[in-house]
Amino acid sequence: MNTDREFEKFESEHIGPKIISYMAEGLYPNACDPIREYVQNAVDAGATDVALHISNDSIIIENNGEGMDSSDMWRLLRIAISDKDPEKDVGYKGIGIYSGLFISQKLIINSKKHGGCAKLLVDFKHMRNLINEANNIPDVINESASVEFVENFKFHDETMGGDGTQVILQGIREHLRESYKRKELSTYLTKTMPLSFDSQKFCYTNKVNAEIDQICKATGSVYRSVPIHLTIDGCRETLFSPYQIDRGTALEPQFEIISLPIDGKDTTFALVWGCLNKERRVFPKRLHRGFTMKQKGFTIGNAETVQPYFQSGGKFANRYIGEIVILSHHLKANTARSDLAHTQYLPEFKKRLKKIAEKYEKVANTYQENSIALEECDKIESQLSDVEKSPTREDISDLRDKATKLRNRLNKPLEQDSKSRIDEILEKLNRELITLEIEVEKKEKEHQGSASSGETESSDDQEGDDSAGGRTGTGTSNRGIPENAEVKKILDRLNEDGRNSHASARKIGQLYNSLCTISIEQHPCLGYIGTWALWETLGFALKNNQNQKAWDYLTQTLSNNYKSSKPNQYRDMSRALRRILEDGNMNKHSSIGVGEDGSALKNNMEILDEFLLDLIEQLYEHLTNAPWKNNAPSDNS
């Protein structure tokens, strides 16, 4: 189609020089960002040491990586053209050299490669003026930059030697100098740079490094870290990653892998690691907490960038110290390094990262519920120990309420060890409270009997007769379970000798004495529960296997002792023991008691009398390491 318009060919002069200033100002808003760019070049050059020297009006960045010759220097001046490999190198956009345009008056780069030295000089002040006056970019660069050979140059840092590069930003602009004070610059560098872990302050250094190294080797990925030596006003310090935790502060790191399918094959995109604070709260220092995204060691964004992936926001995320280590070149930082750039894989990666965040939240929540439950167990145990000294019905009621709340915690997301601990405490509490209830009941009856003795005392003063007024006395019909004198003698000896260091003999003795003296007829429910507690406590004290239940031990021991030698007696004993277990459980968990007059309970205990003595003798030997028959007092003693 013919037209009168004359077409033009797009030429380099159609790109205005101001694009350089737009890039420098727009991509590096923080006055410290240019330092990051020059360190990136050092890391890409394979540096194992980087040194920064800050004075009032200059910044010197030195490294021992591969140096540059004059042709390399000229290539540095190209804009948005780079020979770097995006899969391996951090910087590859070809604009970093101009990052210092607005913070200094002059850029000097000295470099040594294979013994030869070259120098690049860029007059940034002159360049800023030319940008507003010149018509094209080549004129701006040619008039403000030069490259020359030099015989040699001296590194400022004495540890540097051999090949390497020295970047000098001269004439730091006055209004920016506050940004390079020690505190401000050190904070920026520890947040953004690929710093090594400090093994003295981060106890999981070896574990995390080993995991990162292993996955990098497996995937051919790159993760670099270097020590950075910062000298300001003559004071030198080596910077490390800011993480500061010991084994008492945080749990061991949890590792997760994020993989995405590419061409039908799962490809590793990131390694996530995180250490959870044991104190169930966020880490106090903002610089140390949360998850940070890293690629090739350099930070992308900050902890707040990652928080939206957690449903709870910072509640659980900030209880971790950790990193999301990007390993795939299919994900890249945006030019400002404030977040990941939009690529075709980013949406699916975000979904996978959210799933991983849910895992970390679940671990944190489970840990919280576990530790709270265990703390409550310890508090209940401590309170029980205090209550045992002088029990009251109010104390017992309070402990039962707390036991109910603790039992409800079993519905929370708990680990098996915590559930076992709660079950153990609840069983112990149940046994002890039954003992205490019987003890309180007995004291109340004794008090009532003492108060009423003057009113009901008969003229014949007949011992044990309290039939008047229907009151309970010590007559056979109103007594508790049948008393075995030998059992009582052994328990009394154990308590007199003070050998019951674990209080098992004392508790068993209290239960037995109380059950022998309370009125089973008047309190059958308490009698059934108390008898169940007596056998439960005895079995618990004697069993050797922690995982074995007390009643399993009792039935097994009964079988070993009687099944072969006394089969008929064993059958009756086994039935009696089973009934004590069943009736005790029924009374524990029901508001309606069983066995209204307690006669069945007395009968069962009479059948088990010989077996009870066997176990009490075994308890004596267990606690004293001596058989009872050798230590039993004579009838005359």
Side-chain angles (χ1 to χ4, degrees):
M1 183 175 69
N2 295 325
T3 114
D4 293 336
R5 181 175 176 183
E6 183 179 348
F7 287 96
E8 294 183 355
K9 186 178 180 181
F10 191 85
E11 303 288 351
S12 60
E13 57 264 24
H14 296 149
I15 302 175
K18 287 187 178 179
I19 194 172
I20 301 175
S21 64
Y22 295 156
M23 287 191 302
E25 284 184 305
L27 298 179
Y28 310 107
N30 189 311
C32 296
D33 286 345
I35 297 177
R36 180 195 67 205
E37 290 298 309
Y38 295 124
V39 172
Q40 273 185 191
N41 291 334
V43 171
D44 287 340
T48 57
D49 262 310
V50 176
L52 272 68
H53 295 264
I54 312 296
S55 63
N56 187 45
D57 67 343
S58 69
I59 298 172
I60 302 174
I61 304 147
E62 298 177 328
N63 72 81
N64 64 350
E66 183 181 356
M68 296 177 285
D69 55 26
S70 59
S71 59
D72 296 325
M73 294 281 199
W74 277 117
R75 281 194 289 272
L76 282 179
L77 296 169
R78 296 177 300 179
I79 298 174
I81 301 174
S82 176
D83 298 325
K84 293 184 179 181
D85 183 350
E87 293 189 23
K88 297 180 180 178
D89 296 320
V90 186
Y92 56 87
K93 295 182 176 69
I95 53 178
I97 192 173
Y98 298 103
S99 60
L101 177 63
F102 284 94
I103 69 168
S104 63
Q105 308 293 10
K106 187 180 292 185
L107 169 68
I108 302 171
I109 299 180
N110 295 308
S111 192
K112 188 182 295 184
K113 182 177 182 180
H114 306 316
C117 298
K119 178 178 182 178
L120 169 66
L121 172 63
V122 183
D123 189 334
F124 278 156
K125 182 178 180 180
H126 187 45
M127 180 178 283
R128 290 195 298 270
N129 293 329
L130 288 172
I131 284 172
N132 294 320
E133 299 171 1
N135 293 322
N136 58 68
I137 292 176
D139 288 345
V140 171
I141 294 176
N142 288 328
E143 289 190 35
S144 57
S146 63
V147 174
E148 60 185 75
F149 291 102
V150 292
E151 271 192 34
N152 203 352
F153 70 92
K154 185 178 181 181
F155 282 108
H156 198 85
D157 195 284
E158 294 179 356
T159 62
M160 298 290 174
D163 288 358
T165 299
Q166 178 187 71
V167 177
I168 304 172
L169 292 164
Q170 281 187 351
I172 300 299
R173 302 178 80 176
E174 194 166 345
H175 68 283
L176 297 174
R177 290 177 185 176
E178 286 297 318
S179 303
Y180 307 117
K181 296 294 184 183
R182 179 174 296 278
K183 181 179 178 181
E184 288 76 9
L185 183 56
S186 178
T187 298
Y188 175 87
L189 294 173
T190 52
K191 278 183 177 181
T192 60
M193 296 296 179
L195 300 174
S196 306
F197 298 130
D198 186 348
S199 59
Q200 300 298 314
K201 296 180 179 179
F202 181 53
C203 65
Y204 299 119
T205 291
N206 293 337
K207 198 174 188 72
V208 174
N209 279 339
E211 195 74 20
I212 292 174
D213 289 345
Q214 181 179 347
I215 197 164
C216 283
K217 287 177 182 177
T219 60
S221 305
V222 176
Y223 183 94
R224 298 185 177 120
S225 61
V226 294
I228 294 181
H229 312 289
L230 175 63
T231 302
I232 299 180
D233 299 328
C235 183
R236 189 177 193 266
E237 65 172 322
T238 299
L239 301 179
F240 292 95
S241 165
Y243 309 139
Q244 297 182 15
I245 54 175
D246 55 40
R247 294 182 187 276
T249 304
L251 299 179
E252 289 207 359
Q254 172 189 346
F255 298 98
E256 299 289 343
I257 300 292
I258 300 179
S259 298
L260 271 68
I262 296 180
D263 298 330
K265 182 182 178 182
D266 269 355
T267 302
T268 302
F269 268 62
L271 167 71
V272 185
W273 67 266
C275 299
L276 179 65
N277 192 344
K278 288 183 176 181
E279 297 179 2
R280 302 199 313 267
R281 61 185 179 88
V282 301
F283 281 98
K285 293 185 179 181
R286 185 178 296 274
L287 185 61
H288 299 173
R289 67 190 184 210
F291 287 86
T292 304
M293 214 175 296
K294 295 274 189 176
Q295 190 169 40
K296 300 181 179 72
F298 286 86
T299 302
I300 300 173
N302 51 40
E304 285 73 24
T305 308
V306 180
Q307 279 185 15
Y309 296 97
F310 287 79
Q311 290 183 349
S312 63
K315 177 184 176 182
F316 285 132
N318 286 334
R319 293 186 187 185
Y320 282 95
I321 283 176
E323 293 179 346
I324 300 162
V325 182
I326 307 297
L327 300 167
S328 172
H329 66 276
H330 294 292
L331 292 178
K332 298 179 175 66
N334 60 25
T335 307
R337 302 196 70 83
S338 60
D339 205 340
L340 291 171
H342 292 284
T343 65
Q344 68 180 98
Y345 298 102
L346 183 61
E348 185 60 29
F349 176 79
K350 286 183 174 181
K351 290 180 184 178
R352 302 286 175 101
L353 180 54
K354 192 170 184 179
K355 291 288 184 184
I356 295 297
E358 288 175 5
K359 286 187 177 182
Y360 281 96
E361 285 188 302
K362 184 177 180 181
V363 169
N365 187 42
T366 301
Y367 178 81
Q368 174 173 281
E369 296 299 338
N370 277 325
S371 54
I372 290 174
L374 294 176
E375 284 176 7
E376 289 181 1
C377 286
D378 292 342
K379 288 177 182 177
I380 287 175
E381 250 191 333
S382 177
Q383 184 179 350
L384 177 62
S385 179
D386 292 337
V387 169
E388 284 177 325
K389 298 172 185 175
S390 182
T392 66
R393 289 199 179 277
E394 291 76 13
D395 292 332
I396 293 171
S397 177
D398 181 51
L399 279 170
R400 287 211 179 277
D401 289 341
K402 288 181 177 176
T404 300
K405 292 178 181 178
L406 184 60
R407 187 175 290 107
N408 291 337
R409 284 213 163 268
L410 289 171
N411 298 323
K412 301 281 187 179
L414 299 176
E415 294 174 353
Q416 189 55 48
D417 287 349
S418 298
K419 289 182 179 180
S420 299
R421 171 68 170 149
I422 290 177
D423 287 336
E424 177 189 335
I425 289 297
L426 290 174
E427 283 296 321
K428 177 182 179 181
L429 192 61
N430 199 29
R431 290 194 307 270
E432 303 301 329
L433 290 181
I434 291 168
T435 306
L436 295 176
E437 282 177 334
I438 293 174
E439 185 179 331
V440 169
E441 182 75 25
K442 180 181 175 183
K443 286 181 179 178
E444 288 176 350
K445 289 298 177 184
E446 289 173 351
H447 179 71
Q448 290 174 6
S450 175
S452 61
S453 61
E455 301 173 12
T456 60
E457 185 178 354
S458 61
S459 58
D460 57 0
D461 196 23
Q462 191 176 41
E463 183 180 355
D465 182 7
D466 75 338
S467 59
R471 300 183 186 279
T472 302
T474 57
T476 304
S477 62
N478 276 338
R479 289 282 311 269
I481 62 173
E483 181 180 290
N484 183 313
E486 192 72 6
V487 168
K488 191 173 187 312
K489 190 185 296 182
I490 297 173
L491 291 173
D492 288 345
R493 170 62 70 88
L494 282 171
N495 286 302
E496 287 170 4
D497 290 352
R499 293 188 178 98
N500 53 323
S501 57
H502 297 287
S504 56
R506 178 178 63 82
K507 291 168 186 174
I508 292 168
Q510 286 175 342
L511 273 169
Y512 188 71
N513 290 332
S514 297
L515 288 167
C516 289
T517 55
I518 68 167
S519 172
I520 298 292
E521 287 80 359
Q522 287 193 358
H523 305 283
C525 181
L526 199 58
Y528 277 97
I529 297 174
T531 306
W532 171 90
L534 172 68
W535 288 95
E536 165 89 2
T537 306
L538 190 53
F540 193 83
L542 288 172
K543 69 186 182 75
N544 294 319
N545 185 350
Q546 282 295 107
N547 296 323
Q548 188 180 28
K549 293 183 178 179
W551 286 92
D552 290 342
Y553 171 82
L554 293 173
T555 54
Q556 184 63 49
T557 304
L558 179 64
S559 176
N560 294 342
N561 292 1
Y562 292 92
K563 189 172 184 179
S564 298
S565 59
K566 301 176 181 178
N568 293 333
Q569 189 176 356
Y570 166 74
R571 184 181 61 251
D572 293 339
M573 284 183 172
S574 179
R575 187 182 299 118
L577 188 64
R578 185 174 65 253
R579 285 173 178 168
I580 287 175
L581 171 62
E582 292 171 352
D583 291 345
N585 281 328
M586 193 176 300
N587 277 275
K588 277 194 303 169
H589 302 299
S590 174
S591 58
I592 303 174
V594 298
E596 290 78 2
D597 61 358
S599 57
L601 173 62
K602 291 182 179 182
N603 184 54
N604 289 331
M605 284 299 291
E606 191 169 347
I607 292 171
L608 289 165
D609 192 60
E610 183 181 340
F611 181 47
L612 178 63
L613 179 59
D614 287 346
L615 294 178
I616 295 298
E617 288 180 349
Q618 186 180 336
L619 178 69
Y620 183 91
E621 185 171 351
H622 177 70
L623 294 175
T624 64
N625 294 320
W628 166 251
K629 289 181 172 54
N630 295 345
N631 291 275
S634 64
D635 292 338
N636 297 328
S637 61

